[in-house]
Amino acid sequence: MNSEIKIYKASEQHIEALVKICLSNVDLYEPIMPGAFQKYAGSISQNGIPKTYDVMMIEYKCEVVGFVGTIELKDGIVYLMALYLQREYQGKGIGKIVMNKLKDYFQKKGNNEIVLLAHKDAKWAISFYEIQGFNFISRLEMVIKGYANTQLEKHYITSTVLYSLMLGIN
């Protein structure tokens, strides 16, 4: 399956696929983040590919099935702000392969850490990231905002927990 999964930079031709992926996750996230995924899908539909972070598409067997959003911070830290698969592709091992590819990619680029914020009630996401080797750092707003010399301050989202994965240590 590894060779059937490709990750590449998103372009304007992927807007419809991004919207579809967001909307396929509405039911999953609606109880903990009401309206967030409809709003996100609407923003992409109206404004195109987000410019404030790097968006990469996930392709499986020549079909776009998900996307990743990242921001490279200072000091070799990458902020993984999005990793979403269409609902029908979740739980099939695709996310694990994507994470392994991302780890390799960022480590080869010289990054030494990946951080992310997961919603405290997204137990499925937290479990996934812990299985991938991410370690819980904190759920405290003050700690999250101050992490890595305050690099996460402007990315802080209410009701989230901070996780970190040191690259090259596994």
Side-chain angles (χ1 to χ4, degrees), residues 73 77-81 99 113-140 143-144 147-148 152 159-166:
L73 304 172
I77 301 171
V78 176
Y79 172 45
L80 176 62
M81 59 168 298
M99 276 308 311
E113 182 181 13
I114 300 174
V115 296
L116 63 89
L117 295 171
H119 192 284
K120 67 178 179 60
D121 295 328
K123 303 299 185 207
W124 64 91
I126 289 171
S127 175
F128 170 78
Y129 290 118
E130 287 176 347
I131 290 168
Q132 303 313 308
F134 282 81
N135 295 300
F136 172 80
I137 302 297
S138 183
R139 68 182 69 244
L140 299 174
V143 174
I144 295 169
Y147 192 78
L152 289 179
S159 300
T160 56
V161 292
L162 174 62
Y163 277 82
S164 168
L165 174 73
M166 299 308 291

Side-chain angles (χ1 to χ4, degrees), residues 17-26 37-38 40-41 44 67:
L18 286 165
V19 169
K20 180 180 176 183
I21 294 159
C22 289
L23 293 177
S24 80
N25 281 282
V26 166
F37 276 71
Q38 296 95 323
Y40 193 32
I44 291 169
F67 71 93

Side-chain angles (χ1 to χ4, degrees), residues 143-162:
V143 174
I144 295 169
K145 286 182 173 182
Y147 192 78
N149 297 318
T150 69
Q151 290 190 72
L152 289 179
E153 186 170 19
K154 68 180 178 182
H155 303 292
Y156 177 76
I157 303 166
T158 304
S159 300
T160 56
V161 292
L162 174 62

Side-chain angles (χ1 to χ4, degrees), residues 33-83:
M33 300 168 61
F37 276 71
Q38 296 95 323
K39 184 178 176 184
Y40 193 32
S43 175
I44 291 169
S45 182
Q46 191 171 24
N47 304 316
I49 304 289
K51 309 283 187 270
T52 55
Y53 57 93
D54 295 323
V55 180
M56 296 178 279
M57 304 308 297
I58 301 167
E59 192 175 278
Y60 173 60
K61 292 185 176 181
C62 301
E63 183 179 343
V64 173
V65 299
F67 71 93
V68 176
T70 61
I71 298 173
E72 289 196 54
L73 304 172
K74 297 175 191 164
D75 306 322
I77 301 171
V78 176
Y79 172 45
L80 176 62
M81 59 168 298
L83 170 52

Side-chain angles (χ1 to χ4, degrees), residues 71-119:
I71 298 173
E72 289 196 54
L73 304 172
K74 297 175 191 164
D75 306 322
I77 301 171
V78 176
Y79 172 45
L80 176 62
M81 59 168 298
L83 170 52
Y84 297 110
L85 295 173
Q86 283 179 221
R87 281 298 297 275
E88 60 267 28
Y89 290 96
Q90 294 173 10
K92 301 185 182 311
I94 295 170
K96 178 182 179 180
I97 293 169
V98 168
M99 276 308 311
N100 287 333
K101 288 179 181 262
L102 289 174
K103 290 175 197 177
D104 289 344
Y105 172 75
F106 286 115
Q107 189 171 354
K108 286 176 183 167
K109 283 186 74 176
N111 298 100
N112 54 31
E113 182 181 13
I114 300 174
V115 296
L116 63 89
L117 295 171
H119 192 284

